[in-house]
Amino acid sequence: MHAEKYYFTIQNGPTLREGLFIKKNKDRWEKVQQGEAPDADEMAKDFVQLVDDLAYAKTFYPTSKITGFVNSLASRIYLRIYQNRREDSNLIVRFWKLDLPLTIARHYRILLFCAFIFLLFYMLGFISARFDQQFTREVLGDSYVDMTERNIANGNPFGVYQSGNAFISWLGLMVWNILVAMLAFVKGIVFGIFSLSALVENAMMVGVFHQMFAAHGLGVEFIFAVMLHGMLELTAIVIACGAGVVMGTSYLFPGTISRMAAFKNGVKDGVKIVVGLIPVFCVAAFFEGFITGLYKMHIVINLLLLAMLGGFILWYFIVYPYRLKKRTAMQTPVATHA
């Protein structure tokens, strides 16, 4: 007999059926999942018990979903213990280095779905505006379309980004975009429906906006000019709407915990994501206020800036969360058979 199997036989008696095993430990697992450990000692105790649970599950239910669930709990609490070893002064750094990327990785399916929805309705807006000029005016408004038409006729198609004081524009745009993102997130409380609605509305508007310039042969120029700030801004809007969907759907699929506990976790994760986007909106507004107005700069500079921003988005919101999640799972101690 394996030493591990013998150990659990001593501790728990005859092998527990899976349902009984879950019932016996469910309350403790829910407490761990909600992060209710009051101090480091209690957290360490929970971790030791989780390792025992994981070893038992891997021995008797190696192909069960409960084994993966217990392993994820152990991973989470192990990371929490590791984080608590750092100084309090590192809390802010740790948030963007660990907490936010891991939260994004935990909900990557929802965020990818939102990115797909954005691209889909962006294309629908672009195509609709191409075949119906009145649709452009309905979406953007007559005054804005007329102003843009005058700027194009005067040889300064993106002149709207050159108006006003750059510093005031930066602050105004930063506050406005953060408020829009917060509102899009809060709307998601009803099953994420209104967050998706806000996402569709923004996607259609950007598609129509792009087509308005493409109709005058300025489609490529639009990318060089608007996407200098739009790449960050639109990525953040998509993720903020995704955070609303995370919150709104959390109590629809609670898993092994209560709906209220799942909803609390969804709210925490959603807030964490939206708060993490604030620096992104700040930088996007800076580009819109100070850089986009210089859209006639050399094409090489434009390409370098676009590549830099695109590389940051790809790394921080896709590659890094995936690698961090994988590394965290590998670092989690897993009991083995004797």
Side-chain angles (χ1 to χ4, degrees), residues 100-121:
L100 180 60
L102 286 174
T103 303
I104 289 173
R106 190 156 55 245
H107 301 291
Y108 77 96
R109 287 189 177 90
I110 289 178
L111 298 178
L112 285 177
F113 172 74
C114 289
F116 170 77
I117 292 296
F118 180 87
L119 291 174
L120 175 63
F121 282 91

Side-chain angles (χ1 to χ4, degrees), residues 261-327:
F263 177 65
K264 289 180 180 178
N265 289 338
V267 172
K268 289 178 183 178
D269 284 353
V271 170
K272 191 179 295 184
I273 291 172
V274 173
V275 170
L277 292 173
I278 290 177
V280 178
F281 282 118
C282 293
V283 175
F286 176 83
F287 269 85
E288 186 170 358
F290 288 94
I291 308 299
T292 301
L294 306 176
Y295 68 91
K296 292 183 179 181
M297 68 181 78
H298 197 281
I299 188 173
V300 174
I301 299 177
N302 265 301
L303 289 174
L304 287 175
L305 289 173
L306 288 172
M308 178 185 69
L309 296 174
F312 166 76
I313 292 169
L314 181 65
W315 170 255
Y316 188 74
F317 292 108
I318 300 177
V319 177
Y320 180 60
Y322 171 78
R323 290 187 176 181
L324 184 60
K325 180 181 179 181
K326 186 176 181 180
R327 188 172 71 221

Side-chain angles (χ1 to χ4, degrees), residues 222-261:
F222 173 90
I223 294 176
F224 284 143
V226 177
M227 286 303 153
L228 280 178
H229 68 269
M231 193 177 296
L232 288 175
E233 182 180 308
L234 296 176
T235 298
I237 287 292
V238 170
I239 295 176
C241 291
V245 178
V246 167
M247 175 179 64
T249 58
S250 58
Y251 50 83
L252 294 178
F253 310 103
T256 61
I257 62 177
S258 68
R259 292 188 185 277
M260 182 54 66

Side-chain angles (χ1 to χ4, degrees), residues 4 8 49-60 70 334-337:
E4 181 184 82
F8 282 107
Q49 289 178 318
L50 279 173
V51 172
D52 286 347
D53 294 341
L54 181 58
Y56 186 84
K58 287 178 69 66
T59 300
F60 298 108
V70 175
V334 178
T336 59
H337 295 289

Side-chain angles (χ1 to χ4, degrees), residues 171-184:
L171 293 180
L173 290 166
M174 178 179 65
V175 173
W176 172 253
N177 289 333
I178 290 173
L179 290 176
V180 168
M182 293 292 184
L183 181 60

Side-chain angles (χ1 to χ4, degrees), residues 10-12 17 30 72 80 104 123 136 138 141 144 172 180 183 205 218 230 250 267 276 314 325 332:
I10 295 298
Q11 294 293 315
N12 299 314
R17 287 179 300 176
E30 287 182 358
S72 69
R80 201 179 303 155
I104 289 173
M123 291 303 301
T136 301
E138 290 176 0
Y144 191 86
V180 168
L183 181 60
M205 188 178 300
L218 298 169
S250 58
V267 172
L314 181 65
K325 180 181 179 181
T332 304

